[in-house]
Amino acid sequence: MIRVRVYLTKGYLVIHSKQKRLVIDLYKTKKANEPNILFKQLIRELMSETGLGKNSIEKIISEYKTRKTVSSPNMNKIRPKIFNRMEDFDKNAIRQIVHTFWRNRDPPTLNKIVIAVSEDDSLPTIKRTTMYALLKELNFEYTKRKRNGYLTERKDLIVWRRNYLRSIKAYREEGRTLYYLDETWCNADDCSQKVLVDNTIKPNKDAYQEKLTTGAKNPTEKGKRLIVAHIGSRKGFVNGGLLCYESETNCRDYHHEMNGDSFLKWFTHILPLLDDNSVIIMDSTPHHSMTEEKIPVSSWKKQDIMEWLKQKNIPVDNSYAKAELMNLVRKHKPEFEKYVVDEVAKAENKIVLRLPPYHYELNPIELAWSKVKGYVKNRNTTFKLNDVKQLLIEGVEAVTEENWRCFDDHAIKEESKFWEIDSLIDDFLENDFTRAFNGGTGDTSSDNTDSL
């Protein structure tokens, strides 16, 4: 009998390559001595002689058959970036803090944002260097004006937002029905989540958001959870539009639970339930944005990029450098980048409009989710997934048409704020600080060395 030595590291069973080779040698010997042995019987004998479990042995054999070798596990812990660890609502809250400084005629700097976030008990404490990286990921850049520098959003994000605001304004004026679509999740053991809260607008029973705040702590990442998707308008949630199923993993980001194919299947199902000539508003997560064909990126080989351009009847030859080819791709990309869901919606006489990233206050369904989750949390006593699912269905039914009108009215107010903030920042950058903001601080010298 050969006992394979294994190691327990931070709760995980670790089998190194030397021990794996002993298992493979034993496996080969048994196969050579008994060519007709059944695989199940072989596994049982290896389990008995090595002391390893069935899954461990099968994985070792599978690795050997696939790679013709075995390897030790990678013991280096890969720490996710702060941007990936943070909740989306926290990212949105930080962006709102930056905008609040502008609205108060106090141009934001990195130091000011770090202090403001640290003073907000609902947000995690973030170091200055980490905040620098986070703001960059949130599409902020550092704009210098004379001797001072200020945080502004990247030009492409501003253009995206302005295009969105103009489009939705035009659709409302045309009288088209606007539907808002989104996914969320709900834990079996604790359904509270950071939610949008308002203490000033109180139609009858409920309070809705005037600015982003946070409620109770997020659900734990342990235990079973439900993945939920729905769509609604000022008339309420669409009847028959609810999608609710059990998560297969405990992944922190629930978006990973829905791929492009499953979303498209649900999306195709709900299209006939919507008004003709309507507008469907959604965010730009990957499963919402599958393209009909792949568009070249910089990681493509030069020859493949050239072939793609030739297929599109864009003249190129071998004299072009890769940088020139990618410049042509960027120039012509809008002509050929067609999203699958957009084309499916267009075939049903409906169009898709995408929200700019991390602008949750522009999506009324976020407030609807807040009300639904509050309903579930207040009634969840069994912590069983089937019971939570039933409560969630009841919570959806409890969101009235009047609620949805309030949610939509709030989104319209937020749209007005964005029109104001973009114009305000433009005015500041084009005028001398003292003339643009009488009574402003004007002192940002402490941040002059910063850059984003």
Side-chain angles (χ1 to χ4, degrees):
M1 178 182 293
I2 300 174
R3 286 288 173 178
V4 174
R5 181 179 296 177
V6 297
Y7 304 88
L8 195 64
T9 303
K10 294 183 178 181
Y12 295 95
L13 190 68
V14 178
I15 307 175
H16 291 285
S17 57
K18 183 177 180 180
Q19 286 73 43
K20 288 183 179 180
R21 283 193 292 270
L22 290 174
V23 174
I24 295 301
D25 289 343
L26 190 58
Y27 166 77
K28 288 180 178 179
T29 301
K30 287 185 173 294
K31 286 285 289 183
N33 294 337
E34 301 179 66
N36 297 324
I37 188 173
L38 294 176
F39 184 73
K40 289 183 178 180
Q41 178 60 31
L42 177 56
I43 295 298
R44 282 195 292 269
E45 292 184 10
L46 290 175
M47 289 170 59
S48 174
E49 296 187 27
T50 63
L52 294 177
K54 177 175 178 290
N55 289 340
S56 297
I57 292 175
E58 288 181 346
K59 286 179 181 179
I60 294 171
I61 295 173
S62 176
E63 178 188 3
Y64 177 76
K65 288 182 177 180
T66 303
R67 303 172 57 184
K68 304 303 179 185
T69 186
V70 291
S71 61
S72 292
N74 183 4
M75 301 302 293
N76 295 325
K77 184 177 180 180
I78 301 175
R79 298 188 63 184
K81 294 181 178 180
I82 179 66
F83 189 77
N84 296 324
R85 297 200 309 270
M86 282 190 69
E87 297 291 339
D88 288 346
F89 279 105
D90 288 343
K91 299 172 189 175
N92 189 69
I94 291 172
R95 180 180 53 74
Q96 288 196 334
I97 288 174
V98 176
H99 285 179
T100 298
F101 274 100
W102 280 112
R103 290 195 182 94
N104 293 335
R105 300 337 192 241
D106 184 8
T109 62
L110 180 58
N111 284 342
K112 291 179 182 178
I113 302 305
V114 171
I115 293 171
V117 170
S118 66
E119 292 176 348
D120 190 331
D121 294 336
S122 67
L123 292 173
T125 301
I126 302 175
K127 294 181 180 178
R128 193 174 185 276
T129 52
T130 304
M131 181 65 76
Y132 173 92
L134 178 61
L135 289 169
K136 191 173 182 180
E137 291 286 350
L138 286 172
N139 295 315
F140 282 99
E141 59 188 9
Y142 208 74
T143 301
K144 288 200 172 183
R145 186 67 175 171
K146 295 187 176 180
R147 295 186 305 106
N148 300 315
Y150 316 104
L151 284 169
T152 60
E153 285 170 302
R154 262 181 22 202
K155 305 301 182 291
D156 56 334
L157 179 62
I158 294 173
V159 170
W160 185 338
R161 183 167 63 223
R162 302 292 282 195
N163 286 338
Y164 172 84
L165 294 173
R166 282 196 175 86
S167 297
I168 197 168
K169 182 175 182 291
Y171 294 143
R172 283 199 187 97
E173 291 173 350
E174 293 171 6
R176 302 170 77 162
T177 305
L178 304 180
Y179 292 99
Y180 296 89
L181 175 155
D182 191 35
E183 299 92 11
T184 189
W185 52 277
C186 202
N187 264 31
D189 58 349
D190 184 355
C191 296
S192 63
Q193 185 185 13
K194 289 189 177 181
V195 296
L196 307 175
V197 181
D198 175 55
N199 294 318
T200 59
I201 307 173
K202 296 183 179 179
N204 298 332
K205 300 179 181 178
D206 306 299
Y208 310 116
Q209 175 188 0
E210 179 63 24
K211 66 178 182 178
L212 184 68
T213 61
T214 55
K217 294 291 184 181
N218 279 334
T220 66
E221 295 177 19
K222 300 179 180 179
K224 296 181 179 180
R225 67 172 60 170
L226 296 171
I227 305 301
V228 190
H230 216 326
I231 185 170
S233 69
R234 285 183 74 89
K235 299 177 183 178
F237 277 119
V238 175
N239 290 330
L242 177 63
L243 174 67
C244 182
Y245 60 92
E246 182 179 342
S247 168
E248 295 181 358
T249 69
N250 286 331
C251 179
R252 182 183 182 88
D253 185 359
Y254 63 84
H255 288 103
H256 292 302
E257 290 287 341
M258 183 176 287
N259 58 37
D261 292 334
S262 58
F263 174 77
L264 182 60
K265 182 179 179 181
W266 173 71
F267 185 75
T268 304
H269 162 73
I270 64 171
L271 283 175
L273 308 176
L274 312 182
D275 292 347
D276 192 48
N277 198 34
S278 58
V279 181
I280 305 167
I281 298 161
M282 65 179 76
D283 59 31
S284 56
T285 52
H287 58 269
H288 292 170
S289 307
M290 290 191 306
T291 54
E292 290 189 329
E293 67 170 309
K294 292 184 178 179
I295 306 295
V297 293
S298 57
S299 60
W300 281 32
K301 292 183 179 179
K302 179 179 177 180
Q303 188 60 38
D304 293 335
I305 299 172
M306 193 178 300
E307 288 298 323
W308 185 88
L309 290 168
K310 288 179 179 179
Q311 290 174 7
K312 306 304 180 186
N313 296 318
I314 302 170
V316 291
D317 56 48
N318 292 328
S319 67
Y320 279 72
K322 187 173 182 179
E324 292 178 293
L325 296 176
M326 284 306 302
N327 187 52
L328 285 172
V329 170
R330 285 189 289 270
K331 181 180 178 181
H332 294 278
K333 183 178 179 179
E335 303 172 34
F336 306 105
E337 188 177 44
K338 295 183 178 180
Y339 295 118
V340 175
V341 295
D342 294 44
E343 297 304 307
V344 171
K346 190 184 298 182
E348 296 285 336
N349 195 31
K350 299 168 181 68
I351 62 172
V352 171
L353 178 62
R354 282 179 173 76
L355 288 154
Y358 305 111
H359 284 63
Y360 299 105
E361 63 269 54
L362 298 180
N363 194 348
I365 200 172
E366 296 290 351
L367 293 169
W369 286 141
S370 171
K371 185 172 176 62
V372 170
K373 290 183 178 183
Y375 182 96
V376 176
K377 180 178 183 293
N378 292 336
R379 294 163 177 79
N380 183 14
T381 57
T382 66
F383 306 109
K384 295 180 180 179
L385 201 63
N386 287 338
D387 294 340
V388 170
K389 184 175 182 179
Q390 181 58 40
L391 287 173
L392 189 137
I393 294 171
E394 294 173 7
V396 168
E397 294 172 348
V399 182
T400 66
E401 182 177 340
E402 181 184 2
N403 296 151
W404 264 95
R405 285 198 301 270
C406 291
F407 301 155
D408 193 40
D409 288 341
H410 169 74
I412 294 172
K413 290 181 181 178
E414 293 298 318
E415 291 169 19
S416 299
K417 290 182 181 179
F418 280 116
W419 283 114
E420 175 191 358
I421 193 69
D422 291 332
S423 298
L424 190 150
I425 294 173
D426 282 348
D427 289 343
F428 165 73
L429 294 177
E430 289 182 2
N431 294 283
D432 180 74
F433 177 82
T434 55
R435 286 181 292 158
F437 300 106
N438 284 329
T441 63
D443 181 14
T444 58
S445 58
S446 62
D447 275 339
N448 283 347
T449 57
D450 296 334
S451 63
L452 282 176

